[in-house]
Amino acid sequence: MKAGLRSIWLCGFLLISISLYATQLLPSLREEVELTQDRDGDASSPGPSVTIFSSPRPFFGVVGDRQLLAVRSWLALSPEVQVVLFAQNASMRSPIRNLGSRVSIETAIDFTFLDTPFFHAMVARARASGSSISVLIDSETLLLPSFISALHYVYTLDHNWLFVAKPRHLSHLKFHLDNLGRQWVWTTGQKITTEKLEEFLVHNWQESNYSGRWLWAWNTGNLPLHAGVLPSFLYGKGYYNEWLMHEALSTELRFVFDGTDVASAFYPENFGSEHSQSPIDSEVVPHNRQWESEANAYLAAAYGSFYSNMSKVSYNMPKLIRCGAQFMISNASMCIPSVHQKPPFLKANRMLGIWKDTFVSLQSKGKGYISCIEKCNSASSQLDVSTIQKPESKLSVPSLPFSLKELLETVADDEKTVVLAVAGNNYRDMLMSWVCRLRRISVSNFILCALDDEVYRFSFLQGLPVFKAALSHLDISFDNCHFGTKCFQRVTKVKSRIVLKILRMGYNVLMSDVDVYWFKNPLSYLHAYGPAVLVAQSDEFNETVPINLPRRLNSGFYYVHSDPATILAMEKVVTHASTSAMSEQPSFYDVLCGVGGKNRIGDNKCHEPLTNVTVHFLDRNLFPNGAFQNLWRKKNVTAACMRRGCITLHNNWISGRKKKLQRHIASGLWEYDVVSRLCLQSWQDQKLHSYV
């Protein structure tokens, strides 16, 4: 009896001491930490709006039953929840049509040519959300309503925060949502309460060994998740979750905490006859896709301080826990992360202020707060990535394990046609603007020839189908390889040789310089000309003369069909160019139209008699060159071109790389953000970053 009284007396004394200590600290902390509303507010009041973002796997838009169940579980969280699914195209709209208007498809993000989404594009889109909270989640992860309760709690914190959780997994799913998507039921049909369901999960789920299924949530606004640029990680290929958590902790912009215990997030290994997709960070990767993980490893080592500063960051970050209907953040003095012996974003007293506010709230309830404090004090984050195999410090950029033949087989359309661009590092940003434009108008059958190692590495990390040209000792620097230079003359001759090589492999080729802006996809128009016809842009600007005058064939935009006559004609062009001191462009005209235009037919054609190939010069109203009607000088270039029915517009007839870039950007026809390395989208802030 005396021992019991003594124990009660000691507990009471301890609690009074802690209360006095908290009371002394709180007044000085009110300016720094203040809850915006009572954590136990009216549950019927509308909560913050939440948008959940995810990318179904495989990434080409097939939605399986387990992924449909996951989406239904998200919608069941709250009427305020919206769902956005990333897809390369809108083909998945059919299977999700029955999910209602709160689910939408987002195609306006960047994917690789193998349909893998970019993690930095997904984060950028989620950050641009108009909702109060954004959530980024794996497409097979299920959520229970307690997740929304946790989000409502952290939303009341007067701080910018980043919620990180690692879902668990179940070997088998023994329950599902009813047909209305509102009630969880056992497989026997018996209803189950959320409390019983969570109790079942606690006893049956297991910790996940895979890092790819992390859940991220944050309050939206202008503040980024970390300082610096998020590299172009490939989603589902490893390293980016650990990298982002490290950078968020070490750059100290947001309050970062582990919400694993309150997220109620899990995924089933087996679901009926359907097995889980291979874990997205599995070590078992098909040989021809291993390069994707290697690319992420390179980026993790090359950007930020993930490699160099990993040992100096504690990942035992604050942890969000729940005691009954209450939430607590783990004791700051035990769990606050440390960088260089200094607390990150939240100073120790600020973090302690959050904890003390929670403590006082629990104490005022008078129930269960002793056990909650004990649980909080013993809590430690499970998101410790300090033991992961970090990337090597001197990784080299990997290369695509595809031959040219394999790339062509991958990207060519049903007509066996590819769009070819050839570029060096001096035009890499214009190359990306060109790529972004093609993506926007749904042209995916393009392939890139890199003239130097720099643009090859750049294109590889941008997820482009790229191969190297066989060049040696060619200096393609930023300002010495434009029209009229010796470098330019050598580079243009590479283009015709590559075109010929692809023709011999049985593919039709549309050769397009990267300074050609595409308003529409021209391929159906060009296909109509058929075999043994070379269709090319005219470089003539004078509106009163024929468009097929000598040396007016522009080799920066032409289409050729893979047939014996056209291949023979291209061989003649390549041979002529190899002995010429000029660029390849004069060789096209002199070989196909004859020196001085002796093979001209009418005002817009030529006929090469030995190969029986016809050259057709394209209508300049549809395919204007850079000097035609001064279109580039119009106040609204797009409107002026669209009135004429332009399909493309060439940014030529201007000297110098800088002038060309400036004109392209000033016209409003630029499609790429060089800082984020993302294509410009309608949901972005359309601010262009200067780099010239």
Side-chain angles (χ1 to χ4, degrees), residues 108 128 440 665 668-673 678-689:
R440 186 181 291 269
I665 293 173
L669 301 182
W670 193 257
E671 302 274 348
Y672 178 63
D673 181 3
L678 289 171
C679 295
L680 293 174
Q681 306 290 356
S682 58
W683 46 263
Q684 286 176 298
D685 177 8
Q686 299 292 311
K687 179 180 178 181
L688 293 175
H689 299 274

Side-chain angles (χ1 to χ4, degrees), residues 416-624:
K416 292 195 71 176
T417 298
V418 295
V419 180
L420 172 68
V422 180
N425 195 47
N426 56 337
Y427 277 97
R428 72 179 192 180
D429 295 324
M430 183 165 277
L431 162 67
M432 279 309 305
S433 181
W434 179 83
V435 167
C436 291
R437 181 58 191 173
L438 265 60
R439 286 173 173 169
R440 186 181 291 269
I441 60 175
S442 302
V443 176
S444 59
N445 59 322
F446 58 86
I447 189 169
L448 310 175
C449 175
L451 295 173
D452 51 49
D453 291 338
E454 290 78 12
V455 80
Y456 178 84
R457 289 192 293 266
F458 173 81
S459 301
F460 170 84
L461 294 174
Q462 292 286 120
L464 305 180
V466 60
F467 64 98
K468 292 181 183 178
L471 292 175
S472 60
H473 309 297
L474 184 58
D475 178 20
I476 309 176
S477 60
F478 277 85
D479 292 310
N480 77 334
C481 204
H482 52 81
F483 182 81
T485 63
K486 292 291 184 182
C487 173
F488 178 83
Q489 293 172 4
R490 289 189 61 188
V491 165
T492 59
K493 295 176 183 180
V494 173
K495 297 190 294 185
S496 55
R497 293 201 298 268
I498 296 298
V499 169
L500 176 58
K501 184 175 183 178
I502 295 174
L503 288 175
R504 287 170 172 166
M505 298 173 75
Y507 294 87
N508 313 318
V509 181
L510 170 54
M511 171 65 217
S512 176
D513 283 348
V514 297
D515 61 352
V516 177
Y517 185 85
W518 292 32
F519 291 99
K520 305 173 186 176
N521 185 348
L523 285 173
S524 60
Y525 180 92
L526 300 174
H527 280 316
Y529 286 95
V533 179
L534 186 148
V535 188
Q537 184 184 60
S538 171
D539 232 8
E540 181 56 63
F541 61 88
N542 191 332
E543 299 181 53
T544 63
V545 300
I547 63 175
N548 61 349
L549 290 179
R551 302 286 176 86
R552 288 310 191 200
L553 188 153
N554 189 303
S555 62
F557 188 86
Y558 64 93
Y559 173 80
V560 281
H561 190 274
S562 179
D563 57 75
T566 304
I567 291 174
L568 181 58
M570 284 298 299
E571 288 174 346
K572 292 167 65 67
V573 171
V574 169
T575 300
H576 185 279
S578 66
T579 61
S580 171
M582 295 183 290
S583 69
E584 67 170 6
Q585 189 156 295
S587 295
F588 270 87
Y589 191 91
D590 290 352
V591 168
L592 301 177
C593 294
V595 177
K598 63 181 181 181
N599 297 332
R600 287 174 56 208
I601 301 176
D603 292 341
N604 65 349
K605 294 180 183 178
C606 294
H607 182 262
E608 205 289 308
L610 297 179
T611 60
N612 202 30
V613 167
T614 298
V615 177
H616 182 92
F617 289 79
L618 289 165
D619 183 346
R620 288 176 298 176
N621 286 303
L622 302 180
F623 300 90

